[in-house]
Amino acid sequence: MKKIGLAVLLPLFIFCMSQKVELKAVTDSSQVFKGAISGVPVTMQLNYTGVVDCHQYQHFVEGWYYYDKYQKKIPLTGIYDLGVLYLYNFGNKHKLYAKELRKVITSPRKVEKTDSIARTLKPKEALVFERNNTKQEVFGTFYMGKQSQPAILYTSNPTIYRYNNYLLLPDNKKLNTFDFMNRLGGNTLVSTSAYSTGNRVLLYFENLSNFNFCGMCGASDGEKGYRVLYFTKNWNYKNYEEFLTESCLEGISETQKIKTKDPNILQYNVKKSYASAPYILTVDVKNASVSKSK
């Protein structure tokens, strides 16, 4: 497979320098959440401490929470499982049982049994937050002994490990591709351009095919291509388009770069994929646009 990478784009970044647009990649492995237990305000910090087996988002967490009124940190340990949070405090034996829990949970099947495994260690407190499929807060339950109380995190996204790609736009506007595009990051700013009804931003990307390193395409070269983001004249975000040059998921390989007379025009001969016929992909760097043709 012919590798098509960032090297072909290096002479083109000059177009971005005159624009008031920047892209900053920041990988977070720790998050602070505000929430409440039985209506009483709490603050929680959770840290990513390594994957259980193969999936980036089935991982161990360590951290703490406190009641805002008292600010006495209560240690937590547990699992983040594809949006579900299992958190435990083991009282005076917290460090010992936190290590024991980590030794036992070693596979996706064990992750599914996290709560039942943790209960055998008799936690002093437990917090379980369910997967949130809406844009609302994350709801859960706080357990102490045989008592239970409602719990909530004031966020629509409890993800702890995040590949943030921040677009810093004119008028002090800021956009994170993690929030609306995909969560795999890997974007690089190529150019920006104004057009009749707004503004465009051209990104080149190279990212993983998915977060399951043992699943389909887990060991592949990943996904590569371009994204065009559309904005109003006032830099309010509208939508984006994605154009692949290589993809394990879509079966796009052996893409060839075509020589062009204009250094601001990039062309790729994209072979037939699982779902589409072959096509020519044309990238207009100066105008921050991408088009397909047969």
Side-chain angles (χ1 to χ4, degrees):
M1 179 188 300
K2 185 175 181 179
K3 303 295 181 184
I4 299 172
L6 291 174
V8 301
L9 299 173
L10 292 177
L12 307 172
F13 291 155
I14 189 171
F15 286 104
C16 301
M17 297 178 65
S18 62
Q19 302 292 330
K20 296 180 180 180
V21 176
E22 295 180 60
L23 188 146
K24 292 186 177 181
V26 180
T27 300
D28 286 341
S29 59
S30 178
Q31 302 294 331
V32 175
F33 301 108
K34 291 290 186 178
I37 296 174
S38 192
V40 181
V42 298
T43 298
M44 180 183 299
Q45 178 172 312
L46 298 175
N47 307 309
Y48 164 91
T49 58
V51 297
V52 173
D53 186 20
C54 291
H55 203 295
Q56 181 67 54
Y57 288 113
Q58 288 182 316
H59 63 75
F60 298 102
V61 298
E62 299 286 340
W64 50 263
Y65 85 96
Y66 61 57
Y67 291 92
D68 291 357
K69 182 177 180 180
Y70 303 105
Q71 297 193 11
K72 181 180 179 180
K73 294 180 180 179
I74 300 168
L76 294 171
T77 189
I79 293 287
Y80 179 92
D81 177 22
L82 303 175
V84 180
L85 270 169
Y86 300 99
L87 303 170
Y88 305 94
N89 171 265
F90 294 106
N92 294 332
K93 296 183 178 181
H94 182 78
K95 289 185 179 180
L96 175 65
Y97 286 160
K99 290 181 179 179
E100 189 65 26
L101 185 66
R102 188 166 182 136
K103 288 180 181 178
V104 175
I105 299 177
T106 57
S107 68
R109 288 187 178 182
K110 292 291 182 67
V111 169
E112 293 176 2
K113 299 178 181 179
T114 294
D115 196 47
S116 60
I117 293 171
R119 298 288 179 175
T120 65
L121 300 174
K122 297 181 179 180
K124 181 179 179 181
E125 299 178 4
L127 278 158
V128 178
F129 292 96
E130 300 299 329
R131 185 176 293 107
N132 182 21
N133 295 319
T134 69
K135 294 184 178 181
Q136 306 301 318
E137 293 89 351
V138 178
F139 295 96
T141 306
F142 171 82
Y143 301 92
M144 178 180 285
K146 295 182 179 180
Q147 297 182 343
S148 64
Q149 298 174 336
I152 186 173
L153 295 179
Y154 299 134
T155 179
S156 61
N157 184 3
T159 305
I160 298 164
Y161 196 94
R162 306 184 183 189
Y163 295 101
N164 301 299
N165 282 183
Y166 294 105
L167 277 170
L168 307 181
L169 305 169
D171 300 326
N172 294 316
K173 293 182 178 179
K174 184 177 180 180
L175 202 62
N176 188 359
T177 64
F178 182 91
D179 295 329
F180 69 94
M181 196 175 287
N182 74 22
R183 298 181 176 183
L184 292 150
N187 294 291
T188 301
L189 179 62
V190 178
S191 63
T192 64
S193 178
Y195 66 107
S196 59
T197 59
N199 296 286
R200 286 190 295 261
V201 173
L202 176 63
L203 304 178
Y204 173 78
F205 70 90
E206 293 185 5
N207 57 237
L208 300 170
S209 295
N210 61 61
F211 288 116
N212 187 355
F213 307 122
C214 298
M216 178 182 177
C217 297
S220 75
D221 291 333
E223 314 296 296
K224 301 176 184 179
Y226 295 86
R227 295 177 176 125
V228 180
L229 282 67
Y230 297 91
F231 298 83
T232 65
K233 289 185 176 181
N234 294 324
W235 287 98
N236 295 317
Y237 172 71
K238 295 166 63 178
N239 62 293
Y240 80 96
E241 292 182 289
E242 182 173 288
F243 305 88
L244 292 166
T245 57
E246 293 185 20
S247 170
C248 176
L249 295 174
E250 298 293 332
I252 298 175
S253 62
E254 300 182 355
T255 297
Q256 296 177 332
K257 189 171 183 291
I258 302 171
K259 291 183 179 180
T260 62
K261 294 181 179 180
D262 187 343
N264 299 317
I265 299 296
L266 306 176
Q267 283 194 323
Y268 301 91
N269 184 2
V270 181
K271 307 295 184 180
K272 181 180 179 181
S273 69
Y274 298 144
S276 65
Y279 57 86
I280 301 297
L281 190 70
T282 301
V283 181
D284 185 336
V285 176
K286 187 174 183 179
N287 292 303
S289 64
V290 180
S291 61
K292 288 182 180 181
S293 60
K294 294 183 178 180

